[in-house]
Amino acid sequence: MFQLTATPASALADEPVHIRVTGLSPLQIVTLTASLKDEKGYVYQSKAFYKANEVGELDLMEASSIGGDYVGVHPMGLFWSLKPEKVFRRLIKQDVMNSPFYVTLNLYDSVYLQVSTTDQPRASQMVQRWFSGPGMQRVQIREGRVRGALFLPPGEGPFPGIVDLFGGRGGLVEFRASLLATHGFAVLALAYFLYEDLPKTLEEIDLEYFEEAANWLLVHPKIQKPGIGVISVSKGVEIALAMACFMKQVVATICINGPNAIYEFPLRYKDLVITPIPSFMERVQMDVLGAMRLRHYKGDARDELNRKSVLPIEKAQGAILFIVGDGDECLNSREYAEQALDQLRSHGRNNGRMLVYPGAGHLIEPPYTPLCYASPYRFNSGILLWGGDPVAHAAAQEHSWGEIQKFFREHLTQTRSKL
Amino acid sequence: MIQLTATPASTSTLTDEPVHIRATGLRPSQIVIFQATLEDEKGNLFHSQAYYKASEVGEVDLDHAPSLGGDYIGVHPMGLFWSLKPENFLTKLMKRDVMTSPFLVQIKLYDSNLPLAQIAATDPKVSVTLERWYRAPGVTRIQVQEGHLRGALFLPPGEGRFPGVIDLFADIGGLIEYRASLLASHGFAALALAYCDYEDLPLHPEKIELEYFEEAVNFLLRHPKVLGPGVGIVSISKGAEIGLSMAIHLKQVIATVLINGPNFVFSTPQVYRGQISQPLSFSPQLVSINALGLAQFQYCFEEARSKASETFFLPIEKAQGHFLFIVGEDDKSINSKAYAEQATEQLRRNGKDNWTLLSYPGAGHMLEPPYSPLCCASKLSKLHLFMQWGGEVTLHAAAQEHSWKEIQKFLRKRLIPVVTSQL
């Protein structure tokens, strides 16, 4: 009997979906497509070609795609290989509480390189991908200078607290924080520019703003004491590492593809000013499509002249985990992480660790997030290259997400047992 | 005072000739941005930029100085030309009117501290405009409507006869003239021959009739300005499939350049004197789509190729003339390297040595005359997909420069009889 099933039909966006087809002709070649429309109306699509087995069945947990957006056995390939119809757009869920992404899965009886609106699929299933769970709370935060959104798991708590920092795009990106909260963490997605009454441009990093946020989180009745974690990506890593260095209440820090030194603008913390390492505009490289590869354009953090801009990571008391995409075209992420770990070692510290993912790009996000290989950057109207090989990047996202939760569980919940 | 010179600055510089660009009067070790801008005949803008450091005497000589960054790095005197990129995603640079107008390329100089995004709105420190022509002075163009033939014949200036070449592009339709006009600028009588979607030619022919191309060969050889007794072919992609068949069946074809072509028929079948050559079947499910949604088709014939009997492969050993295979190893649309290797292997097996194979690592499918910007993918009009052509910018440019010289050398050698003096 012919059937296309996708289970679970409604799940968290970081949970896998099992796709199966039965009732096909033996060894029949079919086209499977996925599509979704984001909140701005942009359409994302993916396709893969599969061959049914001798009894006319297809199980994406076992079957190998023979072509399309990915090749090989990738049960979630249709999700992470989704591509925008309008090239260079990045898929980011805006409303994480009230609506899911709706992903339509279609099966066509033969090979369709391109599906037109008049082509009828043999079967269709819609799955919902949610960024929050039942009972979760989102609290808009406007306390003192702090701006962001706090995601609380259901129940009384207290929960391990985490500050979530994104990078140079500014605004407030919430989906990673809300997904982490579904795993039992209280997460503050913290904005620091281009959001509400925060500055429109980033001209310096005022670490006292982030200290205010960390302290506010710690006094919250539903947050475990005495320490919190920080998760950060890209530019956010400079801030997170600085927090780890100077605030002992930060006991667990995750740094995804970011520098161990201050770049672009100075960092201020009380009397301390750390000046940035200069960048060399002339070292920018355009790839064949004109997207800018910034990987080589930042000054060398190992250069003696730049010593004062390197963050004093040996002062950090908590644990630090570096997550590195070796295919990062925007930053020399591996270099930065290695230098930071060298610095810890040379001071007799062993509280740092790194996970390097070959082929993963700059934007390592929760699992099944489609790879954004390049996208426009606010400050100039150009396109920035983030890099990443789709298959390797997807695997890195899946693996690192588990490691992120393990790391926070290990270093945050231990604090409770010290009572 | 800052000065920017480009030589030759004459108004008839051919687009396949290099230009020597120099800037003087800069501060010692000053870092500057060179930008090139071009507007095509449809108003599409193309840009390229590169960062250079002036010498201790405040000069930048693009023949010797390395670019530090931008659209290319290293010493590339013509880098600003071949790294031009369209403002509109994936627009290909293509000259339509080759006779009456050049492309105008503006070379501009800026301070390096200017953010790239502001360049368009800022006046350059100094600039120079160059004309890039697709025909030399005195080249004539004759619209061809003889019998069934549709195309344009380009003749070099002057008296006498010139070696005849038929220029064939892929089956995208229309008439592409710029390679033929450039060949005429280098002394060849070049016939740009259309075969579909041009004037009264069918939009999508059901079969390719080789008699049409035989008519073209005879037309060329009959022409009073064409040197006989044989003709040459320059062909790419589907055009190279046709060129190969012409070389096999028509003994007047004595020198055939095959650029990134198959050694079998694909998509449309060929017919000659009642004999039909069937195409190899295409497996679209073997397409591979990259991170940006660009589709690579080069393995879509592999399934059929591995199972096909010998009759599917064109009998290249029957050809009496000479072959020059030009292969872009990074061709992502067809498996050019494998097909050329199989064809030359077939020649070898039959004891023939009438071929040369030039294989260029990093070069893609669209090998054009030198300094043409790399087009790495195009929208396929029949499907809403982007087809990737392949090629790494710098290596592709080097391959275009080298292969163009080799193509002319090969055609001259095979088409112009050597006059031996007898003492």
Side-chain angles (χ1 to χ4, degrees), chain A residues 198-216:
Chain A
L198 291 170
K200 293 242 175 330
T201 56
L202 197 56
E203 274 160 22
E204 65 167 23
I205 294 175
D206 173 8
L207 207 62
E208 287 179 81
Y209 169 79
F210 300 88
E211 186 170 44
E212 194 180 329
N215 290 339
W216 173 84

Side-chain angles (χ1 to χ4, degrees), chain A residues 12 16 31 48 58 68 89 101 112 137 146 151-152 154 158-159 176 187 199 240 255 260 270 312 329 411 419:
Chain A
L12 288 174
T31 307
L58 190 57
R89 283 216 63 88
F101 273 143
Y112 282 77
Q137 263 188 290
V146 183
F151 294 93
L152 290 168
F159 310 101
R176 187 176 60 196
V187 189
C255 306
N260 64 323
K270 302 192 171 141
E329 295 282 25
H411 295 286
L419 289 168

Side-chain angles (χ1 to χ4, degrees), chain B residues 40 53 115 149 151 198 269 284 381 415:
Chain B
D40 75 6
K53 188 179 203 167
L149 299 178
Y198 181 73
S381 52
L415 296 176

Side-chain angles (χ1 to χ4, degrees), chain A residues 29 47 49 51 66-71 83-85 87-88 111 113-115 281-292 371 373-374 379-382 385 388-390, chain B residues 31 33 49 51 68-73 85-86 89-90 112-117 282 284-294 297 303 374 376 383-386 391 393:
Chain A
I29 298 183
K47 68 172 74 63
F49 305 105
K51 197 177 216 175
I66 54 183
D69 280 290
Y70 60 93
V71 169
K83 296 191 171 65
E85 266 186 348
V87 75
F88 300 136
V111 179
L113 266 186
Q114 187 68 35
V115 176
M281 291 262 308
E282 64 272 15
R283 291 204 227 140
V284 75
Q285 288 175 16
M286 269 58 135
D287 88 329
V288 64
L289 291 169
M292 288 188 283
L371 167 64
Y373 184 78
F379 288 117
N380 55 49
S381 47
L385 208 58
D389 161 74
Chain B
I31 298 185
I33 305 174
Q49 42 268 317
Y51 290 83
L68 307 170
D71 281 288
Y72 58 95
I73 53 174
K85 298 196 169 65
F89 189 57
L90 297 183
S112 70
N113 50 28
L114 187 66
L116 288 176
F282 180 75
Q285 68 273 19
L286 298 178
V287 74
S288 186
I289 301 170
N290 80 355
L292 285 172
L294 307 181
F297 287 94
E303 209 173 308
L374 169 64
C376 73
L383 307 164
H384 301 291
L385 273 182
F386 288 104
V393 180

Side-chain angles (χ1 to χ4, degrees), chain B residues 198-213:
Chain B
Y198 181 73
E199 295 195 344
D200 53 350
L201 291 171
L203 188 63
H204 299 298
E206 276 169 16
K207 44 193 195 300
I208 302 282
E209 290 174 354
L210 224 55
E211 283 87 346
Y212 173 82
F213 300 87

Side-chain angles (χ1 to χ4, degrees), chain B residues 265-288:
Chain B
V265 176
F266 70 89
S267 69
T268 322
Q270 281 184 22
V271 180
Y272 185 55
R273 296 190 178 170
Q275 278 266 12
I276 301 178
S277 298
Q278 289 294 357
L280 215 54
S281 66
F282 180 75
S283 314
Q285 68 273 19
L286 298 178
V287 74
S288 186

